[in-house]
Amino acid sequence: MQQAHTGARTGDRIAFDPLVELLTAILVRHGANRHVAGIIARNCAMCERDGCTSHGIFRMAGYVSSLDCGWVDGTAVPVIEDAAPAYCRVDAKNGFAQPALELARKTAVEKARHTGLAAIAIRGSHHLSALWPDVEPFAGDGLIAFSVVNSFRCTVPHGGDSPLFGTNPVAFAVPRQGEEPLVFDMATSAIPNGDVQIAARAGQQLPGGVAVDANGAPTTDPDAVLNGGALLTFGGHKGSALSMMVELLAAGLTGGHFSHEFDWSGHDGAQTPHTGQFVLLIDPQHAGGRPFGDRVETLIKDMRFAGVQRLPADRRYRNRRRAEQQGIHIGVEERARLDALLEG
Ligand code: NDP
């Protein structure tokens, strides 16, 4: 077994903090300020640590590309508006969504504790990551958190014949008694776009039934999807209805762009969807009946009794614990790509 290393420049394994430092340096090198770079770097390192490789360091090239071509503003200062007792709006000012959420976090938690609910409506934002890092910390603070973000036109609505929706993930986090939060986070497309890119890079085929080519014919070729093809929603009309909900909450409600509305054709290198994000917080302390925490544990116990061995997020937490002991593995090629971004 390899040893964990604490230096960012040694070996195949790197500890969390040095990885964040390395990723921060790359983003600063490409025009983000330290505050923004630090938030995105930490988010990216968390995904890599938890084994969410489609949204870990694999995404650094996309962040850098969008920064380099001026599509996203890595120095944007988001503006928060206290819209109502349980509602805050944030204009991300063409910056990343995560700093905008960070700005709203304290206010939203206070609102949720006071009123029982809090909505955060972020517009003018770019989100290229997994959603669980946005909801899990709220559950760590004892709140139920739900979030949706829309992305870019690449998914055909059920019954339609051309792409309109994004891959549009939904994430949900619930606090647990003495345990890590229960979290799920999933694209409403049959597979996320990152998996298509990873398959294309690895020369692998996609599963059947998840995508069509530029002519609308079913395909398992990731290149055919990336070159004019499109994804399908998971579960046919059901995933499509959820994806529609994501468009309406993350963009329609927040004031952001629908996935099909923004035009990045004039920005060679633009890779971060310019849309919106919606977050809803609920404080279960205000719930009636039996304590919510007990009900969560009862349901999990009953699921276990029904034979369920793996809960959503179990895999991530297992990866996290391993990374905390052994460091985060970074392959030689990935490391070379990061070094090139740091120098380039
Ligand atoms: P998966 O299908 O891999 O997983 C979806 C959820 O189900 C996860 O919470 C996962 O937990 C859980 N899960 C997976 N397999 C099992 C199982 N056998 N038993 C129980 N639970 C299971 O996710 P997707 O491929 O749909 O999405 C991947 C990521 O892509 C998400 O993080 C999403 O936010 C991100 N994304 C981001 C977009 C953006 O625009 N920013 C767009 C689209 C997607 P676990 O995590 O522990 O595996």
Side-chain angles (χ1 to χ4, degrees), residues 54-55 127-132 149-151 167-169 183-187 192 195 273 310-316:
S54 62
H55 292 85
H127 202 301
L128 193 63
S129 186
L131 263 192
W132 63 261
V149 63
N150 61 321
S151 59
T167 45
N168 293 4
V183 182
F184 77 74
D185 174 20
M186 56 176 214
D195 283 6
R310 174 180 166 187
L311 293 172
D314 278 356
R315 178 193 66 91
R316 284 196 301 103

Side-chain angles (χ1 to χ4, degrees), residues 6 38 99 141 144 146 229 256 312 322 341:
T6 52
D141 286 343
I144 300 168
F146 166 83
R322 189 182 309 125
L341 292 176

Side-chain angles (χ1 to χ4, degrees), residues 245-263:
M245 175 194 75
V246 174
E247 294 287 345
L248 289 171
L249 289 177
L253 184 69
T254 64
H257 300 301
F258 289 129
S259 297
H260 66 279
E261 276 184 335
F262 64 88
D263 180 14

